[in-house]
Each structure stands twice: as structure tokens, then as C-alpha cells.
Amino acid sequence: MEILSQMWSLLGLLTVLQNILPTQLLSLLHSFYESLQDFLSPYSYFEIPEFNGYCGVDINDLYRHVHLYLNSVNPANTCRRLTLSRSKSSNRISFTVAPNHTVHDTFSGHRLSWTHHAETVQDSLDEKRSFTLKLPKRHRLTLLSPYLQHVTARAEEFERVSRERRLFTNNGHGSYESGWSSVPFRHHSTFDTLALEPELKKQLMDDLTAFSEGKDFYHKIGRAWKRGYLLYGPPGSGKSSLIAAMANYLCYDVYDLELSKVADNSELRALLIQTTNRSIIVIEDIDCSVDLTGDRVTKMRKPSPESHKKGRRRRVMDAGEDNGRVTLSGLLNFTDGLWSCCGEERIVVFTTNHRDTVDPALVRCGRMDVHVSLDTCGMHAFKSLVKNYLGVDSHVLYDVVESCMRAGGALTPAHVGEILLRNRKDADVAVKAVVSAMQAKILGTDLDVGDGGKDYNDGTRTPESMERRLVESPENWEGSPEKFGGKKRREGCSWERKVKFFVRLKSLTKSDSGRRGV
């Protein structure tokens, strides 16, 4: 009781002194008390306000980084109260430390803590928010700078992974403030679901990882932090799916540049400047977008006598055409010129169905650093497609499929995927349908190719008729192969070899079906 009475007496004395002593003296005593407390405390404190200065307009970027960093380390493990929120542009739930609560952290073997402060501004509904960093005083000079760099790097990585990615396309107004329009990028293609051979898949993933982590290396060698990929192969070989998988793997935005909408080289440069870092710039079907190779061919062609007579007029017209469209020179500067270094961490991707038709200057090393050949579906890719579409790890007809691939009956991933999708309710029927399509391709009939997913209407192109023809001799094929496949009759020896091959495949298919009880 005596102790409580003494405490009440002390509080009363302090209240009386606060009312009697002048304000300046009270402020001096308060400052002296804080200085004494800082001197005796083994910790140092650093305040990070939400806004810079006193106007409350310029946002403090470090405050935002601290907020993102605390989300990345999941403060729920060390904080008793959190505020949860989720924005429309992200699927992740973000955490905010409640006012006057603390989150503990460790760095280089030292214990640190973040305390979130939120004070209501007088005569206003706004709040004054800040974070206070507490760290050991003895090590503050060696800890502060490296720790804040760690916080910033972790926050930027978390923001890159968690934010919603966008798919941009040029809207034909590249010379204005914004020449791009965008939609959310929600393509679900990944390297796990991609129908690629394992060696190629690993090489691509390693190259992308090395590029995304190569900032210091690119700066050291004095090279722009960008990389070019040329994807070439027949239609349906998976070029667009690979681009989507690259974007999802790196968490980059995608800019789909349509050259036919670009007026001239100046607008092309303006579009490049408007792209952001950590993005993939895609120009699909580079050989079909604009006639770039024609520029070089026209210049190399010798002038005719008539051109000498109208030389001045032709030069004026050519200059006007170059100023009114995208030229090969403009696209070269776009990919590897001075304007290509206006941003960092960019990937430029060209796609084409015919690599030989692309101008060699566009695909040389330094512009297109990695050339990726995408062709028909191999055995590993086929197994991946069956796993994705049917949920089957193995099948008894895999040997038959591999034999068809070796005989020249391999299909593109898009074609295989369509057959599996159409028959996804029955794995046996789906794999048999793929085998029938491969056999038809070897015979040159292109069974199930280009039918748009429709049923087989022609009696000569049904699977049953195909099976009957495989066990018949060429002489009994109703006269000629023209009726069967629309091509000229080949030599008897080649047809006889093919028939023997398909008879063997047919016997394998029947024996495998018999073992399974089909």
C-alpha cells in the first residue's frame, strides 16, 4: 500500500509540475529524457514514413518496399494482429501489420524488428503511417545498408511474382502517349505442361534463368540486358504455347507487336520506348508481317535503262515509301540498335513457319541469340500430352506410336492434342485414334487433318475402312491409290513395304488389345 501511495504522489507531483513549468522547459526535459534513453538502450531506431517531406504527396518508395517485404516473409508467424486485403489486379492475399504491432526478423545472425505506426492527423480523416526499424546499435553501420538492399531486392521479386501479368497489343497510335492496349494475361501454359523434349526444355529453362539473373554480368560486359529468341517450325508445333510458358516462368508481361499496324520507323521506336522492363516483345510470323526481305532484294537488283531515265523520280518515290512504312533497317535498329537499350530485362521473340525466308540480318547472333526448332511431336512430348489430356502415365500402344513416328507418321502437338481432347473420355480410343492418324499420314491420306474436329463423313476415310485396307493388297484397293488418298500410284515395291509395315502394326494393335481385354 505504501508503494502505491508513493506512486500516486509522484504522479500528482508530475501533473503539478507539467501545469506550472513553461512549455520550453518541458520540451527540453523531454529531449533530455529521450537522449538518455537512446544512450542507455542497446538498440537503434530508424523511422520510414509513408511520404517524403511534410507535404504528404511524394510517396516514399522504401515504405512500399518494406510493406512488400513483410508480405514475402509472411508476418503471420511473428505478429499477433494482421490486416488482410486483396486487390482486383492480384489473386494473392496481402498482409498489413496492424498499428502499433511488431514483426520480428533476422539478418546475418542478428535479430531485428519492424513496428507499424498509424496516427490520426488532427482535424482530418487521414492517417500518418510509418515503419520503425529496430536493430542492434553496435552493428548498425554494418547492418543497415546491406539489410535495406536485401529488403528492396526481396520486395521487387515478390512484386514481380505476385502482380497480375498483362498482354499488350499495339493499337495503331504508337506516336501518342500510349500506343498499347492490354488485357490480363491468363494463359496457363507452363514448362511442366509443354510438349517438348526434356533436353530442349531444360536448355530453355536454364537459359531463361541465367538471363533473368544476369544483370551484373550484362552491365560488366557493356551489353544491353536483352535476349532474342527465334522460334521456327510448322503450324501447330507449339510456338505460341512456348512463348506463354516463357512468360509464366519469368513472370513477364507480353507485348504482341503487329507490324502491319505500325505506320513507320518512328512509330516503331515510340512503341519500343513505351514497353516496360521485364517483358517479352513478340513479333509473330516475321516473314509474313511486312515485306522486309524485299527491301534488300530491290536494292541489290541492277537498274534497267528505263530506271536511268526516271532515276530522279524513282528515288523520290522510294524515299516517300520508306518514310511511310516499317523498313528492314528500322526493325534492325529496333532489335539491336541504339534504341534497343532504352530498357532492361527484355526478351524479343520472332516466330516463323519458314526460317529460310527471313532476312539473315534479322536472325544473326546478337539479335536472335537462341534459335529453337519446333517440329512434330516426339515420343517424350507425346507421353506428356497423353499425361496432360488423359491422365495416363503409360499405354500398351506406345510401342506402336513410336514405330509410326520412326516411319514418318509423327504429328504436330496441336494435332495430337486435338485428337486427345476429342476422345478424352476413353484413353484407349484416344490413343488408337492417334495411331490411325499417324498411319494415314504415312500413306499420304492425311486422315483427320484439317477436318476441324468433325466426324468422318467419307466412307473411304473411316478408321474401319483404313483397317480393312491395311490388310488388303495394293491390287485390291479399287483400282488405284488416287481414290484412296488423292495422290498418284507409287511403285509396287514401296506400297508393298508399307502394307507389310501396317500389317505388322495391325497385329501389334490387336495383340495388345487382346491382352488388355479390349
Side-chain angles (χ1 to χ4, degrees):
M1 295 295 295
E2 294 181 359
I3 296 177
L4 292 177
S5 61
Q6 291 177 0
M7 292 180 60
W8 281 111
S9 301
L10 181 60
L11 291 175
L13 178 62
L14 292 176
T15 302
V16 172
L17 292 176
Q18 185 177 2
N19 294 330
I20 296 176
L21 296 177
T23 305
Q24 294 82 358
L25 182 58
L26 290 174
S27 300
L28 182 62
L29 292 174
H30 182 69
S31 300
F32 176 76
Y33 173 75
E34 289 185 346
S35 300
L36 181 62
Q37 187 180 19
D38 292 340
F39 178 76
L40 297 176
S41 175
Y43 298 101
S44 293
Y45 299 86
F46 299 90
E47 185 176 0
I48 303 176
E50 184 179 8
F51 298 96
N52 296 322
Y54 298 97
C55 299
V57 177
D58 187 16
I59 298 178
N60 187 358
D61 206 35
L62 186 56
Y63 177 90
R64 183 177 63 86
H65 286 166
V66 172
H67 175 71
L68 293 172
Y69 172 75
L70 294 180
N71 275 269
S72 66
V73 299
N74 193 1
N77 298 328
T78 59
C79 187
R80 293 182 292 106
R81 173 175 288 186
L82 298 172
T83 301
L84 307 181
S85 62
R86 181 168 58 192
S87 62
K88 294 182 179 179
S89 60
S90 176
N91 295 326
R92 291 178 176 266
I93 297 177
S94 61
F95 302 90
T96 302
V97 182
N100 302 321
H101 281 71
T102 302
V103 177
H104 298 284
D105 193 16
T106 56
F107 182 75
S108 297
H110 298 281
R111 187 175 177 84
L112 306 90
S113 64
W114 292 97
T115 303
H116 186 215
H117 300 284
E119 301 176 359
T120 304
V121 180
Q122 189 176 4
D123 300 332
S124 176
L125 297 178
D126 298 333
E127 286 186 338
K128 181 182 178 181
R129 291 182 288 267
S130 64
F131 282 104
T132 299
L133 172 62
K134 172 185 167 183
L135 50 79
K137 182 186 295 184
R138 294 176 55 187
H139 306 282
R140 62 179 181 179
L141 297 180
T142 58
L143 278 180
L144 182 61
S145 180
Y147 180 66
L148 292 181
Q149 292 178 3
H150 166 72
V151 169
T152 300
R154 184 78 174 266
E156 290 179 348
E157 177 66 18
F158 179 78
E159 183 179 27
R160 180 179 67 88
V161 174
S162 60
R163 70 180 179 85
E164 183 184 54
R165 291 180 292 280
R166 309 289 296 181
L167 174 61
F168 295 84
T169 183
N170 51 315
N171 51 29
H173 305 287
S175 301
Y176 296 95
E177 182 178 356
S178 179
W180 300 94
S181 56
S182 67
V183 295
F185 181 74
R186 293 170 182 169
H187 201 295
H188 298 291
S189 176
T190 64
F191 279 103
D192 293 333
T193 62
L194 205 61
L196 281 181
E197 297 304 309
E199 296 80 7
L200 177 59
K201 187 182 300 186
K202 185 179 184 305
Q203 291 176 2
L204 289 174
M205 294 174 67
D206 292 342
D207 188 78
L208 292 172
T209 301
F211 169 76
S212 63
E213 298 175 353
K215 179 178 181 180
D216 296 335
F217 174 78
Y218 277 86
H219 289 178
K220 182 182 68 174
I221 64 177
R223 183 171 175 174
W225 192 12
K226 68 176 185 62
R227 196 152 180 82
Y229 285 79
L230 175 67
L231 311 182
Y232 62 95
S237 56
K239 296 184 287 294
S240 299
S241 298
L242 177 56
I243 295 173
M246 293 167 60
N248 289 327
Y249 182 73
L250 296 174
C251 299
Y252 284 6
D253 292 329
V254 179
Y255 288 83
D256 186 12
L257 178 60
E258 188 174 346
L259 289 179
S260 60
K261 289 185 179 180
V262 183
D264 50 26
N265 294 333
S266 298
E267 184 174 336
L268 185 64
R269 289 193 295 268
L271 290 172
L272 175 63
I273 295 174
Q274 295 170 15
T275 59
T276 60
N277 297 338
R278 294 174 177 169
S279 59
I280 299 178
I281 303 174
V282 181
I283 302 180
E284 294 190 288
D285 298 324
I286 186 65
D287 55 327
C288 303
S289 299
V290 290
D291 187 13
L292 299 173
T293 307
D295 298 341
R296 190 183 299 274
V297 174
T298 302
K299 292 178 181 180
M300 294 176 62
R301 190 176 300 162
K302 294 182 179 180
S304 60
E306 295 181 358
S307 63
H308 286 290
K309 297 179 182 179
K310 300 181 180 180
R312 180 178 179 83
R313 180 181 178 184
R314 184 177 296 276
R315 285 194 295 271
V316 173
M317 292 177 62
D318 291 343
E321 291 177 358
D322 289 345
N323 292 331
R325 63 183 180 88
V326 177
T327 63
L328 177 62
S329 175
L331 190 58
L332 294 178
N333 290 327
F334 175 87
T335 56
D336 193 36
L338 294 176
W339 290 95
S340 66
C341 60
C342 297
E344 288 190 330
E345 203 170 353
R346 287 195 180 105
I347 293 178
V348 181
V349 179
F350 288 169
T351 69
T352 179
N353 296 333
H354 307 283
R355 179 188 180 188
D356 298 336
T357 60
V358 183
D359 194 285
L362 277 174
V363 297
R364 70 162 176 82
C365 292
R367 291 193 175 101
M368 296 294 107
D369 307 288
V370 182
H371 293 198
V372 183
S373 175
L374 300 174
D375 207 338
T376 53
C377 195
M379 196 59 201
H380 288 284
F382 177 79
K383 292 180 180 179
S384 177
L385 289 173
V386 172
K387 174 65 176 177
N388 294 335
Y389 282 83
L390 307 178
V392 175
D393 293 321
S394 61
H395 198 274
V396 295
L397 295 181
Y398 276 174
D399 293 337
V400 179
V401 172
E402 191 171 3
S403 300
C404 290
M405 289 182 179
R406 288 197 299 265
L411 306 175
T412 61
H415 189 190
V416 175
E418 172 57 28
I419 298 176
L420 297 179
L421 177 65
R422 191 186 311 162
N423 303 279
R424 62 185 181 275
K425 294 182 179 180
D426 193 326
D428 293 332
V429 173
V431 177
K432 287 181 180 179
V434 174
V435 171
S436 298
M438 289 181 173
Q439 294 172 350
K441 182 180 179 181
I442 298 174
L443 286 176
T445 59
D446 293 335
L447 178 66
D448 193 42
V449 176
D451 62 355
K454 298 178 182 179
D455 296 332
Y456 305 106
N457 297 322
D458 189 356
T460 63
R461 295 169 62 87
T462 61
E464 293 77 7
S465 63
M466 284 291 300
E467 293 178 359
R468 288 196 302 269
R469 290 180 180 274
L470 292 179
V471 297
E472 294 176 355
S473 62
E475 291 79 6
N476 296 329
W477 283 1
E478 299 181 4
S480 64
E482 287 88 344
K483 185 175 181 180
F484 181 58
K487 294 186 177 182
K488 293 183 178 180
R489 182 180 179 88
R490 304 177 183 178
E491 296 181 0
C493 59
S494 62
W495 283 106
E496 185 176 357
R497 286 196 299 268
K498 288 187 176 181
V499 170
K500 290 181 180 179
F501 171 74
F502 284 119
V503 169
R504 188 173 74 255
L505 289 181
K506 180 64 179 176
S507 63
L508 288 174
T509 305
K510 289 184 176 180
S511 61
D512 292 333
S513 300
R515 287 196 300 267
R516 291 172 55 91
V518 178

